Amino acid sequence: MKYDFSTLSADDFEDLSRDLVGADLAVRFEAFTVGTDGGIDGRHAVADGSVILQAKHYFRSGFSKLRSKMKEERQSIDGLKPKRYVVATSVALTPANKDALAEIIGPSLLSTADIFGADDLNALLRAHPEIEKAHQKLWSQNTPVLEEVLSSVLRKAMASEAIPPALSRLMPPAAPADPTAPDAVERDVIFIIKASPVDDEFTLWLAPKLEAEGYQVFADILTLQPGDRWRREINAALRHRAAKVLLLCRDSTLDNDNVQDDLDIALERAKELGDQRFVLPLRMETFRRIKGLGDTVPVDFVKGWGEGLDKLLDTLQRQKVPRNRDQALINPNWDMFRRRGAIEVVDEPERLTSNWLRIAEAPDVIRYFESAGAIDKNRLQRARESFGHPSALAGGNGFLAFADQPEIEMAFEAAGRFRIKHEIPLEEFVAHGFANLRIDRQTASNLVIAMMKTAWFNYCKRNGFIEYIYSNSVGFHASAEQAPTGKKIPWGNQGEKKRSSMLRNSAKGHIWQFGVTAIPTFWPFWHFKLKSRVLFAEDNQTPAGVPIKDPKKLHRLRRSVCKGWRNKQWYGRMLAFLELLSGESAFIRLPLSETAAIVVEATPMLFSSPVSTVLPNLLDEDEEETDASTLGRPDNDEEAGE
C-alpha cells in the first residue's frame, strides 16, 4: 500500500524517517526532544564528522513550501558542517525537484540519492515491514497490518478484560477456525467522530435518542476517555463495525488531531466499502471544506437540534442503516457520564422567576354575530380591519367577537346588519368547541389564541413599541425614545430596593435592543408565555442605528454578543420591558372590545423549587448589569459562524 503519511504528525514523521533512513544506511540516528532543532532531526556521530538527518513533513503544502524552507535553512546547514546531510520528506518528488533541492542544500548533500521523497520512503517501508508495524499511526491506512496486530495483541488484552466493555463489544470477533468461512462481522454501529469537551453535550443528547430508535451507537465517551492508550482499539472498532460514521462539524472539532485520525480512517474505509455516503457530516456551526467529502450535504443542526434529529433519522432510514426497534436498548453510560458533569443539587428551597404572565381576568362569553341578509365579503373585511379589536370569521355568514350589540352595529354599519345569534361561555368554547357552528375543540382554541395575540399586538402598537416579524412569530421591542441606548429602566418593587436593567445598548460596533414575543396558552392554566428577543442595528451614532435585515448576521450577533448574558440579565431585561408595557399598574389590560378585555398580571409568576443548585452568585443585580462580560462576549472569543 502506498502511504501519503497524512495520519502522522510532524514528530511522528521524524521518528519514522529516523528508523527508515537509519535502516537503509545501516546507522543509528540519535533522537532529540521536541523544540528548536537547529537543522537536526537525527544525528549519527563518527570520528570524521556527523551524518545529519532532517525530516520535512510538508505533504499538504507541497514542493514550493519545502523549497522555501530549505532556502531558509541553508545557513544552518553550512554551520553544522556535516560529513553527510540527508533529507526525508513526505512530499512526492520528481528528479527535477531533487536537483533543485540539491542546489539549495549545497555541498553537504553528497548525492540526490540522499533526498528521500514520499515514493522513496514507501519503498523503504516495503523493504522493512517491521518498521511499518512499529509505527502505529500507519496501521489505520493498511488493513492487513491492522488486522495482524489486532489479532495478536488485542485478543490478549480482551481476554484479560483490559478493554472497557463498551469498546470490547464493538471489536471484531476472533477469526473462525476455518479460513474459508464467511466473515462473521456485522456492520451495525453508528460511530460518532467528535472532540472533547466541545462536542460532549451534543453527543450525550444525540446518542440516547438514536439508541431509542433501535440503532447501536458508539462514541469515545463510552471509554470514559482514559486517554490515547485506547486510540488503536477505537480505530479498529471504527474500521470493523461502523455501518455509518457521523462527523460533528465545526472548525474547532475538525482541528482536533484525534478527529483527523478517525476521519482519515473513515474516508479510507468508505473507499474500501464503495459507500460514498459512509461519512455523514452533522453541521454544528459554519465549517471549512473537508478534504475527501467533496460536496457532501451535511445534516443541519444549527437551526435546531430537534429539526436536525428528524432529518438525520430520515437519512439513516433511507440509507437502510441496521437497527432493531423491537429490542431498543439505551446504554446507561450516557446518563452516568452526564451525571458526573452535573451541577450539585442541595436540599434547600429556591424561588424561581418564570417567563409566564398569568391571565387574571377574561370575558365570560364570546359572541357570534350573524348577518340578517346577504353580505359583501370585501366590505366585511374592511369593517373588521377598521374595527380595531379582535374578531374571527365563522359560520359562513358571520363572525365571532367580544363586543356587545351596540358596538358592533356602529362599527359594522357599512358592511351590513349583524345581530347576536349565540352567546357562548368562553371557557366552554375553548374546551369543547361549538357544534352549532361546526367548530371543533382544536379550531375553537386556535381562534381564541389568535384573537388574544391580536389584542397583544394592538396594545403594543398603541403604546409605541416597535413590531418585528420573525420567521414564525411577531416580537415587539422598545423604541429608541422609550429606551435610549445605555439607559437603565427601573423595575420591581419587591424586596429591599428597586432595580434597573437596560433594553438597548451598544456592543462590538452594534446596537442591541431587547424585546419579547408573547404566546398565549391554556395549559395548565390560562397565561401568556414570553420569549426573549434581541435585534441588532449598525451603530452609526444615531439613537436607533441602521437596522440589520440579514437573518444570518442577526443570528451570528445573537450567538456572540448575547452569549455572556447571565440569567439575571435576561430576567432583568424582561421585567424592565414589562415595566414599560404596564406603566404604574400591576396589570396589563388588553382590550378585546370597548367593553371587554383580557387582564394579564404584569409580574411573571414565581415558582418554588424544593431544591437548589450550588452556583456562583457573587454579583448583585446592579453589578451584573455593568459587568463587562455581560455586555458582550469576551474579546478573545470570535463571533460564531452561521
Side-chain angles (χ1 to χ4, degrees):
M1 177 178 179
K2 185 175 180 179
Y3 294 100
D4 63 4
F5 307 103
S6 60
T7 61
L8 302 183
S9 67
D11 293 337
D12 295 331
F13 183 73
E14 290 177 11
D15 293 340
L16 177 64
S17 299
R18 278 193 296 269
D19 291 347
L20 286 176
V21 176
D24 186 62
L25 301 182
V27 300
R28 186 186 70 82
F29 285 105
E30 299 174 82
F32 302 98
T33 188
V34 177
T36 304
D37 56 23
I40 303 175
D41 290 321
R43 180 178 62 187
H44 175 70
V46 293
D48 56 347
S50 297
V51 179
I52 300 299
L53 170 66
Q54 183 75 69
K56 296 296 182 186
H57 193 21
Y58 287 111
F59 76 99
R60 296 189 191 277
S61 305
F63 178 71
S64 60
K65 183 65 178 290
L66 173 64
R67 179 174 56 188
S68 299
K69 186 63 177 177
M70 295 309 300
K71 287 181 180 179
E72 296 175 6
E73 295 195 0
R74 172 60 186 271
Q75 186 175 355
S76 298
I77 296 171
D78 292 341
L80 291 170
K81 298 180 180 179
K83 174 186 176 183
R84 185 177 183 182
Y85 188 80
V86 182
V87 177
T89 179
S90 55
V91 178
L93 300 176
T94 65
N97 293 152
K98 288 190 176 185
D99 291 340
L101 289 176
E103 184 176 350
I104 293 171
I105 295 170
S108 297
L109 185 75
L110 301 185
S111 167
T112 56
D114 283 347
I115 300 177
F116 292 82
D119 294 324
D120 300 312
L121 296 179
N122 273 286
L124 292 180
L125 282 170
R126 292 190 291 271
H128 302 281
E130 71 284 356
I131 295 179
E132 183 180 27
K133 294 178 183 178
H135 287 266
Q136 302 160 358
K137 288 192 176 180
L138 289 175
W139 298 351
S140 63
Q141 287 193 5
N142 194 323
T143 302
V145 174
L146 176 61
E147 292 178 344
E148 180 181 347
V149 174
L150 286 175
S151 62
S152 62
V153 177
L154 295 184
R155 295 299 170 197
K156 297 179 182 178
M158 291 176 67
S160 63
E161 299 183 356
I163 295 179
L167 179 60
S168 64
R169 67 186 176 88
L170 299 180
M171 298 302 296
D178 181 4
T180 64
D183 188 358
V185 177
E186 181 182 1
R187 293 189 170 277
D188 58 357
V189 174
I190 294 176
F191 197 104
I192 300 177
I193 296 180
K194 53 171 284 295
S196 294
V198 64
D199 296 320
D200 286 350
E201 179 184 0
F202 176 77
T203 303
L204 290 170
W205 175 86
L206 176 65
K209 289 175 174 56
L210 292 176
E211 289 185 338
E213 293 292 325
Y215 296 105
Q216 187 172 353
V217 182
F218 179 78
D220 62 5
I221 290 179
L222 290 185
T223 66
L224 307 184
Q225 300 189 40
D228 286 341
R229 59 181 295 189
W230 302 117
R231 193 72 244 152
R232 294 189 298 275
E233 289 84 345
I234 291 174
N235 291 350
L238 169 59
R239 180 175 291 279
H240 287 278
R241 293 296 302 274
K244 287 293 176 185
V245 172
L246 306 183
L247 174 64
L248 305 193
C249 293
R250 53 165 61 94
D251 285 343
S252 58
T253 298
L254 298 173
D255 286 337
N256 183 279
D257 290 340
N258 289 335
V259 170
Q260 293 178 14
D261 291 343
D262 288 345
L263 178 57
D264 287 339
I265 297 171
L267 293 175
E268 182 71 23
R269 197 57 174 153
K271 293 179 182 178
E272 295 170 359
L273 295 172
D275 184 358
Q276 296 181 349
R277 297 180 295 183
F278 184 62
V279 179
L280 299 178
L282 307 188
R283 182 171 180 257
M284 311 307 300
E285 296 175 0
T286 295
F287 61 94
R288 64 176 182 275
R289 185 182 180 89
I290 303 173
K291 182 180 180 181
L293 291 183
D295 57 354
T296 303
V297 178
V299 180
D300 192 356
F301 280 84
V302 173
K303 294 180 180 178
W305 287 5
E307 184 178 342
L309 176 62
D310 289 342
K311 178 65 175 177
L312 175 60
L313 291 175
D314 179 65
T315 300
L316 295 175
Q317 185 174 356
R318 285 190 291 104
Q319 296 188 19
K320 299 181 180 180
V321 177
R323 64 170 172 167
N324 188 346
R325 298 193 68 176
D326 296 333
Q327 298 181 4
L329 180 64
I330 298 178
N331 195 314
N333 283 347
W334 305 118
D335 189 53
M336 291 172 60
F337 189 93
R338 183 183 290 107
R339 289 180 183 178
R340 287 201 305 274
I343 297 170
E344 181 183 356
V345 175
V346 295
D347 190 17
E348 296 178 4
E350 182 179 3
R351 295 286 282 174
L352 301 175
T353 305
S354 73
N355 61 338
W356 290 9
L357 303 180
R358 185 191 296 273
I359 295 177
E361 295 180 18
D364 293 330
V365 298
I366 186 170
R367 299 181 176 93
Y368 176 68
F369 294 87
E370 188 174 67
S371 172
I375 59 173
D376 185 319
K377 292 185 178 181
N378 291 329
R379 287 185 178 181
L380 177 58
Q381 180 61 29
R382 288 195 293 270
R384 291 179 60 229
E385 292 173 353
S386 62
F387 177 43
H389 295 295
S391 64
L393 295 175
N397 204 35
F399 57 88
L400 293 163
F402 292 94
D404 56 17
Q405 182 68 51
E407 186 178 352
I408 293 298
E409 289 179 357
M410 182 177 297
F412 287 81
E413 182 179 10
R417 297 176 62 188
F418 293 88
R419 293 288 183 266
I420 297 176
K421 181 68 178 287
H422 301 289
E423 276 195 346
I424 313 163
L426 182 58
E427 291 189 19
E428 180 180 327
F429 181 68
V430 170
H432 305 291
F434 192 63
N436 290 358
L437 294 175
R438 297 182 180 179
I439 298 176
D440 59 27
R441 180 197 61 81
Q442 187 61 57
T443 302
S445 175
N446 291 342
L447 286 174
V448 175
I449 283 178
M451 295 169 79
M452 293 167 66
K453 284 184 178 179
T454 299
W456 176 273
F457 297 165
N458 292 342
Y459 180 87
C460 291
K461 292 176 184 176
R462 289 167 186 164
N463 285 275
F465 289 84
I466 306 301
E467 179 183 20
Y468 185 86
I469 300 176
Y470 292 90
S471 59
N472 58 357
S473 60
V474 176
F476 284 90
H477 297 257
S479 67
E481 292 75 23
Q482 292 170 316
T485 301
K487 179 182 178 180
K488 293 183 181 180
I489 308 299
W491 58 267
N493 293 310
Q494 303 91 352
E496 67 281 358
K497 66 175 182 178
K498 201 171 182 71
R499 299 165 186 158
S500 59
S501 298
M502 285 181 281
L503 296 178
R504 181 188 301 269
N505 203 3
S506 58
K508 297 186 175 181
H510 297 87
I511 295 175
W512 59 260
Q513 51 182 312
F514 180 88
V516 302
T517 292
I519 306 167
T521 185
F522 300 124
W523 189 90
F525 45 79
W526 290 35
H527 67 278
F528 276 83
K529 180 167 59 178
L530 302 184
K531 181 176 181 179
S532 296
R533 299 289 196 177
V534 183
L535 282 179
F536 292 87
E538 300 284 353
D539 190 353
N540 64 346
Q541 305 303 312
T542 62
V546 180
I548 296 174
K549 298 181 179 180
D550 181 2
K552 291 185 176 181
K553 184 172 183 180
L554 287 172
H555 179 72
R556 288 195 297 269
L557 287 167
R558 290 187 195 104
R559 288 170 60 87
S560 59
V561 174
C562 302
K563 185 172 183 178
W565 292 2
R566 302 180 179 94
N567 281 343
K568 282 184 178 181
Q569 295 202 263
W570 287 105
Y571 284 121
R573 301 197 201 292
M574 182 178 68
L575 293 171
F577 184 92
L578 292 173
E579 189 80 13
L580 286 182
L581 203 62
S582 62
E584 299 296 325
S585 175
F587 300 95
I588 301 171
R589 185 180 180 86
L590 307 178
L592 296 170
S593 70
E594 296 300 321
T595 57
I598 294 175
V599 179
V600 183
E601 293 179 355
T603 302
M605 296 179 61
L606 297 177
F607 294 93
S608 292
S609 169
V611 296
S612 58
T613 55
V614 179
L615 292 173
N617 192 18
L618 303 179
L619 300 177
D620 66 21
E621 285 73 9
D622 287 339
E623 289 174 323
E624 279 278 352
E625 187 63 22
T626 57
D627 179 29
S629 67
T630 67
L631 301 180
R633 205 170 163 188
D635 291 339
N636 59 348
D637 284 338
E638 296 180 358
E639 288 188 5
E642 163 59 17

